Amino acid sequence: MSDAVTRWSEALAPRAHAVQRALGSAERTPRMAVVIGRLLGAGMLVCLLTGVYSHLLQDPSAPVVLPTRPVELYQWSQGTHVMVGTALMPLLLAKLWVVYPRLFRWPPVRSIVDLAERASIAVLVSASLVQVTMGLLNTFQWYPWPFSFRGVHWALAWVIVGALVVHVGVKLPLIARHWTRAAEARDTTEHETDASA
């Protein structure tokens, strides 16, 4: 059994590396992934806060009392929620464009932490795409699904929060390294030094 797995792995490794080289681009850098990730994170936080505000106003619970005045507060909150949520779609697609060559890395899983990262990313990407698409269709008041929009939208928000916490936790060293513009200059210098060696 292990011989078959080894042969299969050896046969697929060169193909995975060839796909990664073909997909390579100067724009697909860790710094670009971090910059787009910051924008996505900020947008998701705004959507989460405005969504929680809306949910608690529509389903009030005893211990939480939210302001209902001025009357326009809800309109501003929901307008912000819809506007930022709509802006998340191109940001999400841009982030996927930057990082998708990593799907072809070989071997696909290298450790338990790597497995947790990949699982959290699968949940995060799929839930985010469904969430943003559902929200966009809701703006048109078109519901081509048999379930409650509000209930699923609310539940998916918390699934995204959990997956995002795991993803950021695993990627925190990379995020910290590439947070500032100085990291880009440092990486360029390191790349030139490696090329000349």
Side-chain angles (χ1 to χ4, degrees):
M1 180 69 176
S2 64
D3 289 339
V5 171
T6 303
R7 282 189 307 235
W8 187 64
S9 180
E10 288 172 355
L12 288 177
R15 291 186 176 105
H17 293 304
V19 169
Q20 278 189 314
R21 278 192 307 277
L23 295 175
S25 172
E27 292 81 22
R28 289 187 173 115
T29 64
R31 168 78 176 142
M32 182 61 72
V34 169
V35 169
I36 295 173
R38 283 192 310 211
L39 294 171
L40 266 171
M44 287 182 172
L45 180 62
V46 168
C47 285
L48 178 68
L49 294 176
T50 55
V52 166
Y53 176 72
S54 171
H55 185 80
L56 292 177
L57 282 178
Q58 293 179 43
D59 294 325
S61 60
V64 179
V65 179
L66 294 174
T68 58
R69 297 283 186 259
V71 177
E72 296 83 14
L73 183 60
Y74 184 75
Q75 293 172 335
W76 280 100
S77 169
Q78 286 312 286
T80 302
H81 185 83
V82 170
M83 183 177 60
V84 173
T86 303
L88 287 179
M89 182 60 89
L91 282 172
L92 186 57
L93 294 175
K95 173 79 171 191
L96 291 174
W97 181 83
V98 169
V99 299
Y100 88 94
R102 288 184 41 87
L103 290 173
F104 302 101
R105 185 186 71 196
W106 199 262
V109 177
R110 296 176 179 161
S111 67
I112 296 297
V113 172
D114 197 32
L115 179 63
E117 175 199 2
R118 286 199 166 234
S120 73
I121 288 171
V123 170
L124 180 61
V125 168
S126 58
S128 296
L129 287 171
V130 169
Q131 182 81 320
V132 172
T133 303
M134 281 179 64
L136 189 60
L137 293 177
N138 180 56
T139 62
F140 298 110
Q141 296 183 347
W142 181 42
Y143 307 101
W145 48 77
F147 47 81
S148 162
F149 167 77
R150 282 188 59 233
V152 173
H153 202 64
W154 175 251
L156 275 177
W158 295 108
V159 169
I160 291 168
V161 167
L164 195 56
V165 166
V166 172
H167 177 63
V168 169
V170 170
K171 290 293 192 179
L172 198 54
L174 181 77
I175 292 168
R177 178 182 167 133
H178 295 283
W179 189 262
T180 64
R181 191 177 299 249
E184 197 170 20
R186 182 177 60 241
D187 285 348
T188 303
T189 307
E190 287 175 5
H191 184 335
E192 289 170 358
T193 305
D194 292 342
S196 64

